Amino acid sequence: MPSPTPIQDAVALRLERFIAQMRSESDEYGPDAASFLDAAAETLIGGKRLRARFCHAGWRATARFLDRSAIETDTLWDVCAALEIFQSAALVHDDLIDNSDTRRGRPAAHRALENSHRAARWTGDAAAFGRASAILLGDLLVAWSDDLLESALDSHPFARTVRAEYARMRRDVTTGQFLDIAEESAWIVNENGTHADRALRIASLKSARYSIEQPLILGAALAGADADQVQALRRFGRPVGMAFQLRDDVLGVFGDAAVTGKPAGDDLREGKRTVLVALTREALDSPARTVFDEMLGDPELTAQQVSFLQATIEGSGALERIETMIADYAREADQALSGARLDNAAVGDLRDLARAATVRSA
């Protein structure tokens, strides 16, 4: 496992301080609530801190160019940490919606809460308790994210701009998540040729913007970026975000479970209507498409059936097309930085981050 970066360490420290504060303010709630807070804190362990790293990069690229102080402040680290808390909230709800059992090699939040119900020997349906508690856990994490953001922005000169971008991010993710759910039902009444564009819209709203573009803009906004700098970072961040999500879709089908922390072919069992799936269906003839559709989304798929679907996707040419799209997005992002009014050293860091986000195995 790679060693944590200084940014990851700084964010982890800020999260520890914030969680300690939340625990100290929650003593009156009693021991059951304390275990609920422990479950929330557990979701914040690990991860690549990708959003925090892009937020820091957006701040650095702008602050240094504008000749403003390039010393990392508590405000910056708080916003980076708030992004990571929001990410945890999204993952808790995402795993619940997808009925996923694992996250980062550990039980998903709703499964962990289900297990705690059984361990405490409480009465009632443990699985139902886990699901209901996970909804509230995700809501608590969203509230924590807002609390930390608002505390960080108190009296900050660019607070209004940061708040507006953060609010847009939350709306985009929530709407994108709904569209993702809807597409698992709506695909059947839409023309096959429209499925890829619909999947790309979902990828943009649900993941691409809030994973890369919006953290970049949040960091830049903290530094007082002007309109040209914001536009350059958007032109860079949006295609990187799309490439990141397409890579995630590939890993959801072909990833190594030992590396990703998720079962191999998990997206196939969940019936994810990704761009990869859309392009596969476009390329198949009607009989093969029927077989593919009948198998996709079956939670009981065997390893042999997963292998069959993987071979179908690869044989259709869809995987090759996705790899071409990823490369095209990466090239578009790289070109967006040419001549941008951003710090040169930070631009190099941005290019490194883009490679890490799009050429990865987990």
Side-chain angles (χ1 to χ4, degrees), residues 123-206:
T123 188
D125 187 332
F129 172 85
R131 291 192 297 270
S133 298
I135 293 171
L136 298 173
L137 184 68
D139 290 347
L140 176 65
L141 288 163
V142 171
W144 278 6
S145 175
D146 286 349
D147 291 344
L148 187 52
L149 180 80
E150 287 305 315
S151 174
L153 295 179
D154 187 32
S155 302
H156 192 278
F158 307 114
R160 184 175 181 179
T161 303
V162 175
R163 284 193 186 102
E165 188 68 26
Y166 206 85
R168 178 61 186 266
M169 176 189 73
R170 291 184 306 178
R171 294 195 301 271
D172 286 351
V173 172
T174 304
T175 304
Q177 181 68 76
F178 168 76
L179 291 176
D180 191 32
I181 298 169
E183 192 63 16
E184 292 180 19
S185 302
W187 66 272
I188 198 166
V189 299
N190 293 301
E191 294 292 333
N192 290 332
T194 69
H195 289 190
D197 284 342
R198 292 169 67 89
L200 283 168
R201 181 188 299 116
I202 293 166
S204 175
L205 289 170
K206 182 187 172 185

Side-chain angles (χ1 to χ4, degrees), residues 2 22 37 56 73 100 113 141 150 152 161 168-169 191 207 227 265 318 320 331 334:
M22 292 299 99
L37 266 63
H56 181 274
T73 63
S100 298
L113 290 160
L141 288 163
E150 287 305 315
T161 303
R168 178 61 186 266
M169 176 189 73
E191 294 292 333
S207 179
E320 184 178 356
R331 186 162 45 251
D334 189 69

Side-chain angles (χ1 to χ4, degrees), residues 98-328:
D98 294 338
N99 202 30
S100 298
D101 292 327
T102 59
R103 170 64 63 179
R104 295 170 180 163
R106 301 191 301 270
H110 62 286
R111 295 302 185 198
L113 290 160
E114 175 185 338
N115 294 338
S116 71
H117 179 285
R118 290 198 180 95
R121 300 174 66 185
W122 289 355
T123 188
D125 187 332
F129 172 85
R131 291 192 297 270
S133 298
I135 293 171
L136 298 173
L137 184 68
D139 290 347
L140 176 65
L141 288 163
V142 171
W144 278 6
S145 175
D146 286 349
D147 291 344
L148 187 52
L149 180 80
E150 287 305 315
S151 174
L153 295 179
D154 187 32
S155 302
H156 192 278
F158 307 114
R160 184 175 181 179
T161 303
V162 175
R163 284 193 186 102
E165 188 68 26
Y166 206 85
R168 178 61 186 266
M169 176 189 73
R170 291 184 306 178
R171 294 195 301 271
D172 286 351
V173 172
T174 304
T175 304
Q177 181 68 76
F178 168 76
L179 291 176
D180 191 32
I181 298 169
E183 192 63 16
E184 292 180 19
S185 302
W187 66 272
I188 198 166
V189 299
N190 293 301
E191 294 292 333
N192 290 332
T194 69
H195 289 190
D197 284 342
R198 292 169 67 89
L200 283 168
R201 181 188 299 116
I202 293 166
S204 175
L205 289 170
K206 182 187 172 185
S207 179
R209 294 185 191 179
Y210 105 99
S211 294
I212 313 293
E213 177 189 343
Q214 287 159 329
L216 273 172
I217 302 307
L218 286 166
L222 283 171
D226 61 33
D228 288 342
Q229 291 170 317
V230 168
Q231 187 61 27
L233 288 171
R234 286 199 192 280
R235 288 197 303 266
F236 166 77
R238 189 157 296 184
V240 173
M242 293 302 294
F244 169 80
Q245 183 54 46
L246 292 181
R247 176 61 62 206
D248 209 51
D249 292 345
V250 171
L251 293 174
V253 173
F254 296 97
D256 182 347
V259 179
T260 64
K262 302 277 281 184
D266 217 30
D267 280 6
L268 298 172
R269 294 187 178 91
E270 292 170 9
K272 292 285 188 182
R273 293 285 160 176
T274 63
V275 182
L276 183 63
V277 164
L279 295 180
T280 299
R281 295 183 72 261
E282 281 184 18
L284 297 176
D285 60 25
S286 183
R289 189 184 303 125
T290 298
V291 173
F292 186 83
D293 288 341
E294 288 174 350
M295 296 178 69
L296 187 68
D298 181 354
E300 304 301 324
L301 284 178
T302 66
Q304 184 177 11
Q305 288 172 316
V306 167
S307 294
F308 172 80
L309 288 174
Q310 289 171 331
T312 300
I313 291 169
E314 192 165 7
S316 73
L319 178 59
E320 184 178 356
R321 289 178 67 185
I322 289 290
E323 292 294 345
T324 298
M325 290 173 69
I326 291 172
D328 288 345

Side-chain angles (χ1 to χ4, degrees), residues 6-20 49 77-78 81:
I7 294 173
Q8 288 173 297
D9 286 339
V11 171
L13 179 62
R14 186 62 193 95
L15 288 171
E16 288 175 11
R17 288 167 50 193
F18 177 76
I19 291 167
R49 307 298 186 203
W77 294 129
D78 283 353

